[in-house]
């Protein structure tokens, strides 16, 4: 451990981190070296010593960590300061009382005013983590703090930007102008190459738009959110899935953002099943009288796919559109009847289930199709499909021969 070789020192410290839990008493013998290295002229070694002491999850070491950590939080080198900020959160996980007693949380709050943007980002990340662990507010966001965070946002790394953006969500704007000012500073983040930055920026903008009273500002701003969301759907499947999960939440309240971009949700032949399912959910939410014809053609096509679960969801999607858009219910029923004609067992059963829901929404309106359903009675072998058919027969027994 007393070596001057940086690479060897890293390996030794890594070894200590991995074996500290199984040999806590032997780890104590390394404390003097940690303390000595925290005073080393090289900032890399100072940071390495503090990082390692924070990663060694041994209660007996925590009291020895406090003095070097206190010193490194005020270090002249920003690399040491940013490493120390993260170390405070790790120490809080082991001993919250010690962190509060030594005033490390106050130190982190002071570091938000640091000249180095990475120090600011790591301080915010540490405070957010401490807040999540403690469940009590440790970080009060004021307009002055927000100004400092937004200034650091332009210069820190992409993950630093994510930490800062996630912390901005907790800020409550004083008025509409304050909210507009923050949104305008964050809008450029929507062009970022990292999808995590884009999603965090979207979250902040949508939250702050609630406080904007000027319709002339909010309207065009909402339209600007469509392009970054569509861009996220042209990435690899794993990122697409995360983006789609977020999009499905966003369009529950702001359907207008993607109302004109329905085609980007059409499933490709090589999409993984988990992406197809989320795209289908998004299409159902965006369905309207204007695009229902397009969507029904898509859903009908999906109903001939090989994947049974996807086919079932596509058939259910037709039923959900019929229930939510009354003007297109007849079109949806016609498509369902076409699918029943295919005589594919699981398609027929799913169609019966959704037609039952349509009958419940529109009683005494489409009973002319009951005879078609009765013709397929023998093919029903799933409990839910049988239960749906029993309900239909019970409800319309007077209109069915030999009911």
């Amino acid at each position: 451990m007393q070596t001057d070789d940086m690479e060897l020192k890293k390996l030794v410290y890594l070894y200590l981190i991995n074996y500290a839990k199984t040999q806590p008493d032997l780890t104590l013998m390394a404390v003097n070296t940690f303390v000595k290295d925290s005073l080393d002229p090289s900032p890399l070694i100072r940071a390495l010593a503090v990082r390692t002491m924070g990663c060694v999850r041994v209660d007996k070491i925590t009291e020895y960590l406090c003095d070097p950590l206190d010193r490194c939080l005020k270090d002249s080198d920003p690399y040491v300061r940013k490493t120390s900020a993260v170390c405070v959160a790790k120490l809080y996980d082991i001993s919250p009382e010690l962190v509060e007693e030594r005033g490390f949380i106050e130190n982190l709050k002071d570091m938000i005013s640091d000249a180095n943007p990475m120090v600011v980002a790591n301080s915010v990340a540490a405070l957010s983590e401490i807040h999540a662990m403690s469940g009590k507010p440790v970080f009060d966001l004021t307009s002055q703090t927000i100004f400092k965070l937004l200034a650091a946002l332009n210069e820190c790394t992409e993950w630093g930007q994510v930490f800062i953006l996630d912390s901005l969500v907790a800020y409550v704007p004083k008025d509409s102008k304050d909210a507009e000012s923050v949104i305008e500073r964050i809008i450029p983040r929507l062009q970022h190459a990292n999808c995590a930055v884009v999603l965090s920026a979207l979250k902040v903008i949508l939250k702050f738009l609630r406080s904007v009273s000027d319709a002339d500002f909010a309207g065009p701003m909402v339209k600007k959110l469509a392009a970054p969301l569509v861009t996220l759907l042209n990435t690899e499947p794993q990122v697409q899935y995360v983006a789609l999960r977020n999009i499905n939440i966003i369009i529950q309240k702001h359907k207008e953002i993607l109302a004109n971009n329905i085609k980007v949700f059409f499933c490709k032949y090589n999409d993984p099943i988990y992406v197809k399912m989320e795209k289908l959910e998004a299409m159902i939410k965006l369905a309207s009288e204007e695009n229902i014809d397009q969507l029904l053609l898509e859903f009908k096509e999906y109903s001939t796919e090989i994947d049974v679960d996807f086919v079932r969801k596509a058939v259910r999607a037709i039923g959900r559109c019929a229930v939510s858009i009354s003007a297109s219910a007849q079109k949806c029923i016609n498509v369902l009847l076409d699918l029943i004609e295919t005589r594919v067992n699981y398609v027929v059963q799913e169609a019966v289930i959704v037609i039952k829901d349509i009958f419940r929404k529109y009683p005494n309106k489409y009973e002319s199709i009951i005879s078609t359903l009765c013709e397929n009675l023998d093919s029903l072998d799933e409990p839910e499909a049988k239960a749906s058919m029993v309900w239909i027969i019970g409800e319309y027994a007077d209109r069915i021969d030999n009911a």
Side-chain angles (χ1 to χ4, degrees):
M1 285 184 69
Q2 302 294 339
T3 179
D4 292 329
D5 187 330
M6 186 65 183
E7 296 305 316
L8 187 57
K9 196 178 277 288
K10 282 182 183 175
L11 284 171
V12 172
Y13 277 8
L14 193 60
Y15 178 87
L16 274 169
I17 291 167
N18 287 322
Y19 286 92
K21 282 187 180 177
T22 53
Q23 303 285 344
D25 294 328
L26 289 175
T27 310
L28 274 173
M29 296 168 67
V31 167
N32 285 337
T33 308
F34 291 144
V35 175
K36 183 184 166 192
D37 281 353
S38 71
L39 294 163
D40 195 274
S42 167
L44 289 174
I45 291 178
R46 294 201 298 276
L48 181 64
V50 174
R51 183 191 290 122
T52 307
M53 287 180 87
C55 291
V56 172
R57 321 287 283 175
V58 177
D59 293 340
K60 295 174 186 175
I61 282 185
T62 51
E63 56 191 271
Y64 300 105
L65 172 61
C66 291
D67 288 334
L69 181 57
D70 193 29
R71 218 171 24 247
C72 290
L73 283 168
K74 297 162 188 165
D75 198 278
S76 58
D77 192 282
Y79 181 73
V80 180
R81 294 199 300 276
K82 83 177 185 72
T83 306
S84 306
V86 176
C87 191
V88 173
K90 290 182 176 174
L91 181 60
Y92 189 91
D93 191 29
I94 304 167
S95 178
E97 303 81 15
L98 195 59
V99 170
E100 289 172 12
E101 187 185 308
R102 294 295 294 256
F104 289 142
I105 292 176
E106 295 306 315
N107 287 358
L108 286 177
K109 290 178 185 175
D110 294 339
M111 287 165 76
I112 288 171
S113 306
D114 198 280
N116 186 285
M118 269 317 298
V119 176
V120 176
N122 279 20
S123 303
V124 169
L127 285 166
S128 302
E129 201 170 321
I130 290 168
H131 171 67
M133 284 188 276
S134 66
K136 55 188 179 185
V138 291
F139 182 27
D140 294 324
L141 285 169
T142 62
S143 52
Q144 194 176 1
T145 314
I146 288 291
F147 178 77
K148 290 170 185 171
L149 293 179
L150 290 170
L153 193 61
N154 296 323
E155 298 175 51
C156 59
T157 66
E158 51 196 23
W159 297 112
Q161 291 181 40
V162 172
F163 290 134
I164 291 173
L165 288 167
D166 286 346
S167 69
L168 289 176
V169 176
Y171 176 62
V172 179
K174 290 181 289 187
D175 51 37
S176 178
K177 288 291 175 193
D178 189 20
E180 287 173 27
S181 168
V182 174
I183 290 170
E184 283 172 346
R185 296 282 293 274
I186 290 171
I187 277 288
R189 302 274 83 73
L190 295 176
Q191 313 301 323
H192 204 283
N194 187 311
C195 58
V197 175
V198 175
L199 288 172
S200 293
L202 280 165
K203 182 166 65 174
V204 177
I205 291 166
L206 287 168
K207 161 88 185 322
F208 279 59
L209 276 173
R210 295 179 201 165
S211 306
V212 174
S213 54
D214 183 0
D216 292 335
F217 177 88
M221 194 56 67
V222 165
K223 287 178 183 173
K224 285 182 183 178
L225 303 182
L229 285 170
V230 170
T231 304
L232 289 174
L233 295 177
N234 294 318
T235 51
E236 55 267 28
Q238 294 84 350
V239 176
Q240 276 189 59
Y241 176 73
V242 174
L244 284 163
R245 294 287 289 182
N246 283 275
I247 286 168
N248 276 324
I249 294 168
I250 291 167
I251 58 179
Q252 282 179 25
K253 186 170 183 183
H254 298 282
K255 193 187 278 194
E256 70 279 8
I257 295 176
L258 290 163
N260 299 322
N261 298 92
I262 193 81
K263 285 187 177 179
V264 300
F265 297 103
F266 289 178
C267 299
K268 300 185 181 78
Y269 75 95
N270 58 348
D271 279 340
I273 185 64
Y274 55 87
V275 169
K276 284 182 175 178
M277 291 295 200
E278 292 302 323
K279 281 185 172 180
L280 206 50
E281 192 61 41
M283 284 189 273
I284 295 165
K285 289 190 173 89
L286 291 170
S288 64
E289 285 183 47
E290 290 75 37
N291 60 29
I292 191 67
D293 292 335
Q294 247 182 330
L295 287 179
L296 287 175
L297 282 172
E298 280 294 306
F299 294 156
K300 190 175 180 180
E301 186 68 32
Y302 301 157
S303 302
T304 61
E305 293 263 345
I306 297 167
D307 192 292
V308 176
D309 290 335
F310 181 57
V311 170
R312 287 178 185 275
K313 178 116 179 173
V315 177
R316 293 216 178 203
I318 298 167
R320 282 171 65 181
C321 289
V323 169
S324 60
I325 308 167
S326 55
S328 63
Q330 185 61 59
K331 292 176 184 174
C332 295
I333 284 176
N334 292 340
V335 173
L336 288 169
L337 289 173
D338 289 344
L339 292 175
I340 289 171
E341 291 300 316
T342 63
R343 295 283 191 273
V344 178
N345 187 268
Y346 52 86
V347 174
V348 172
Q349 305 207 67
E350 210 61 46
V352 169
I353 293 166
V354 297
I355 286 171
K356 180 259 293 180
D357 292 333
I358 295 169
F359 281 168
R360 288 176 66 189
K361 178 75 189 280
Y362 310 107
N364 305 315
K365 200 169 179 187
Y366 301 109
E367 57 267 26
S368 57
I369 66 168
I370 292 173
S371 57
T372 309
L373 298 179
C374 292
E375 287 169 16
N376 293 277
L377 199 58
D378 295 335
S379 65
L380 305 182
D381 55 19
E382 291 176 12
E384 196 178 353
K386 285 180 178 178
S388 299
M389 198 64 208
V390 167
W391 184 89
I392 292 168
I393 293 169
E395 198 72 16
Y396 296 97
D398 55 328
R399 299 172 207 189
I400 302 171
D401 296 333
N402 304 319

